[in-house]
Amino acid sequence: MSKKESFIKGTLILAVAALVARVLGMAQRVPLEHIFGAVGNASFTISNNVYLLLLTVATAGIPSTLSKMVSERYALQRPSEAKRIYHAALIFAAITGVLITVLLYILAPVYARMVSVPESALAIRALAPALLLFPAVAMMRGYFQGRNIMAAGGISQIIEQILRVIAAIGIAVVMLNADYSDKWVAAGASFGGVFGSIGAFAVMLFYFRKMRREDSQTHLEDLSAGEAPIPFKQIYASIFKLSIPIVLSSLAIPAVYFIDGSIVGPMLKGQIGEEHAKYLLGILGSRAQSIAGIPPILSIALSTSLIPIISGAFARKDMPFLQKQITLAMRISVITGMPIVLALVTASYSVNGLLYSSLDGSGIIALLTLGTIFQITMSTSSSILLSMGKPNLSMVHVLVGIGVKLAVSFALAPFFGIYGIIAGTGLCFLVITLLNLRSLKQIVPFSILGGRWMGFVVTVILLAGIGYGLNEAGIQLVHVMPHRLAFLITCCIVGGATVALYPVMLIVLRVIRREELESYPRPIRKLLRPLMRFAPSAAQRSEG
């Protein structure tokens, strides 16, 4: 296998593992929502958002930087330097893990009171020990990536989520049956993250021992033997210089969700009362954020598969090919994300009734999911900038977007309540997307859909109307059959019709064209090729 093929395969392994882990992480919220009451859902939402934010700060950026530094040292046949860099990273991880865990445990009650959910302090404290190990796990993943051992990081992510989900649900059920209060049940579920961190760490130790045995048998030549070791100060300077922009670039989604968890209570309790504000926060976290996490899964995976190709084209300064691949990545992210967004938004009432304990908050689910299309374009365009070595640009754009999020949320919440806060989230992702696209177009001119936007907009409007109409018709089934069965049938009808009609309409309206089919990733080609019989002929196009 060539180095290029190995790199692409490794990237895909990590992408698939991340997606599996993400699906598992979202799936746990459905049973937990039924187990918790209003306080439990709000507490778990807050602890989860705090955890994701701190995890990003502690781990994002540094592992990828470590991977690059280790890979370079092994390419130069200097394994001793690579190992010293790795040891320096582990020392930093150990200190960071202890510091974050202690501070989170001490400050949990202070933060919980600030966000008007004092009961959440228990859940935050229960999750704090997980952060002891995660920085070290992240550094180990970065080291293995630098050694081109991608399976280690991928398997550890999956094991982590499996154990976290099983432990969270299991502990919550046991505590519920033992008649613990809602806040204690939420704390028990949060503690499931500790089991996930232990599982991930165990997997990394297994791979580390395996790699060490293989290294002892290989006897790599070391050109750095006999030289003075690299000072830790120099290592840390190199790591932080490269990683800080990546960390800040990665903060967009966890920071926005952290902001939401922090401001819903304080901003809305004066309008609707503290208890109802907690209830809405629980709906936002346990329902809306989980559903809104579904559309990015496929689209980001497909567009991310092109990132190594884009990185290579940029390194070669092959601008025509770079333009083609950026256009394709952004086009795929928009085209593949929209049908799932449409299906979930138009069927939000039925999805809510099918999965959760009540029908409350269907509008919250619909609005947050609608803004997900901008989260998709933001994530894809940010990944492209990072692959082209432009983390500083991505960092600045994220900071601007977070500023917009805060400004819009504070401006609209007094008038529109939680919907104003959600509108701020969508605008944040849109602003970051537009700034990313502007920067990319300064490097190489491209157009996502060009003159095809009209056909795309017509498709979206028509399918939104069809989906809404089918949902309204389907929910009438609740009068003749069990509610959940009626909602299941309605979801299947709306989703099936939307997903089936969407590619046909894109082909008929020439948003997707026969001559460009081969440029799409294989899964999309296999889906679209049989549908090309609906494409207008040359004679029809000339008549049009």
Side-chain angles (χ1 to χ4, degrees), residues 295-528:
I297 290 176
L298 175 63
S299 56
I300 292 177
L302 290 170
S303 56
T304 300
S305 68
L306 298 171
I307 295 301
I309 302 172
I310 292 172
S311 180
F314 182 74
R316 297 191 307 271
K317 304 299 180 186
D318 186 349
M319 292 305 168
F321 187 67
L322 180 65
Q323 178 188 41
K324 179 181 177 182
Q325 294 304 314
I326 292 177
T327 300
L328 186 59
M330 292 303 304
R331 185 175 296 170
I332 288 172
S333 70
V334 172
I335 288 176
T336 58
M338 185 54 78
I340 306 174
V341 170
L342 282 173
L344 291 172
V345 169
T346 55
S348 59
Y349 185 86
S350 298
V351 171
N352 197 16
L354 172 65
L355 296 178
Y356 299 112
S357 58
S358 72
L359 288 165
D360 295 343
S362 298
I364 295 173
I365 294 172
L367 184 59
L368 189 67
T369 305
L370 183 62
T372 302
I373 192 63
F374 302 128
Q375 180 185 330
I376 292 169
T377 54
M378 175 199 73
S379 298
T380 304
S381 55
S382 293
S383 295
I384 294 172
L385 278 176
L386 291 175
S387 73
M388 296 166 66
K390 306 291 182 182
N392 290 327
L393 284 175
S394 181
M395 172 187 69
V396 171
H397 299 166
V398 167
L399 293 176
V400 172
I402 290 174
V404 169
K405 159 66 183 174
L406 287 168
V408 172
S409 295
F410 279 96
L412 296 184
F415 303 99
F416 302 104
I418 196 166
Y419 294 100
I421 293 173
I422 295 172
T425 296
L427 284 173
C428 167
F429 296 150
L430 175 59
V431 166
I432 297 173
T433 295
L434 294 176
L435 292 173
N436 286 345
L437 293 179
R438 186 186 68 173
S439 295
L440 288 171
K441 288 181 179 181
Q442 290 172 350
I443 297 170
V444 57
F446 70 95
S447 176
I448 300 175
L449 289 175
R452 310 178 195 192
W453 278 111
M454 182 57 70
F456 181 75
V457 171
V458 169
T459 298
V460 170
I461 292 173
L462 286 177
L463 286 181
I466 292 170
Y468 181 77
L470 289 173
N471 183 72
E472 289 299 303
I475 59 178
Q476 302 308 313
L477 294 172
V478 298
H479 301 299
V480 296
M481 62 177 63
H483 287 196
R484 291 200 192 278
L485 178 59
F487 290 134
L488 173 62
I489 293 172
T490 304
C491 288
C492 291
I493 292 172
V494 174
T498 303
V499 173
L501 290 173
Y502 180 77
V504 174
M505 292 185 64
L506 291 181
I507 291 170
V508 169
L509 295 174
R510 286 186 50 76
V511 178
I512 296 175
R513 301 174 183 177
R514 189 191 304 274
E515 58 269 23
E516 66 192 19
L517 189 60
E518 291 304 316
S519 65
Y520 287 97
R522 184 181 300 174
I524 297 180
R525 289 202 307 269
K526 291 177 68 175
L527 171 68
L528 295 178

Side-chain angles (χ1 to χ4, degrees), residues 7-205:
F7 175 61
I8 293 174
K9 181 181 178 182
T11 301
L12 292 177
I13 288 172
L14 293 177
V16 170
L19 293 176
V20 171
R22 184 169 184 169
V23 170
L24 289 170
M26 290 188 302
Q28 76 167 339
R29 302 304 294 270
V30 176
L32 289 178
E33 192 274 340
H34 287 268
I35 292 171
F36 298 146
V39 169
N41 275 311
S43 297
F44 190 82
T45 294
I46 288 172
S47 70
N48 196 56
N49 289 342
V50 169
Y51 168 75
L52 292 175
L53 181 74
L54 291 177
L55 191 63
T56 302
V57 172
T59 64
I62 295 180
S64 58
T65 301
L66 178 62
S67 170
K68 181 176 182 293
M69 295 173 71
V70 167
S71 177
E72 289 172 349
R73 293 310 190 282
Y74 271 93
L76 295 171
Q77 294 182 291
R78 306 176 77 86
S80 294
E81 289 186 359
K83 291 174 182 176
R84 183 164 175 81
I85 291 169
Y86 175 49
H87 291 156
L90 285 180
I91 292 170
F92 172 78
I95 295 171
T96 303
V98 171
L99 189 62
I100 290 179
T101 300
V102 172
L103 287 176
L104 188 58
Y105 192 86
I106 293 172
L107 297 177
V110 178
Y111 174 71
R113 288 193 297 271
M114 285 175 56
V115 300
S116 300
V117 188
E119 300 91 343
S120 65
L122 282 172
I124 298 171
R125 282 181 161 176
L127 198 52
L131 292 163
L132 271 173
L133 292 177
F134 266 127
V137 170
M139 301 310 161
M140 296 171 86
R141 286 173 180 166
Y143 180 72
F144 282 121
Q145 288 176 36
R147 297 290 306 273
N148 203 28
I149 305 173
M150 303 299 184
I155 292 174
S156 72
Q157 281 184 288
I158 294 172
I159 295 298
E160 167 203 329
Q161 283 296 344
I162 289 174
L163 291 178
R164 183 183 181 191
V165 170
I166 292 173
I169 296 172
I171 294 172
V173 169
V174 169
M175 294 186 72
L176 181 69
N177 291 331
D179 289 328
Y180 279 87
S181 65
D182 207 19
K183 66 179 182 180
W184 279 101
V185 177
S190 294
F191 192 71
V194 178
F195 288 89
S197 70
I198 294 171
F201 188 66
V203 171
M204 301 312 289
L205 285 179

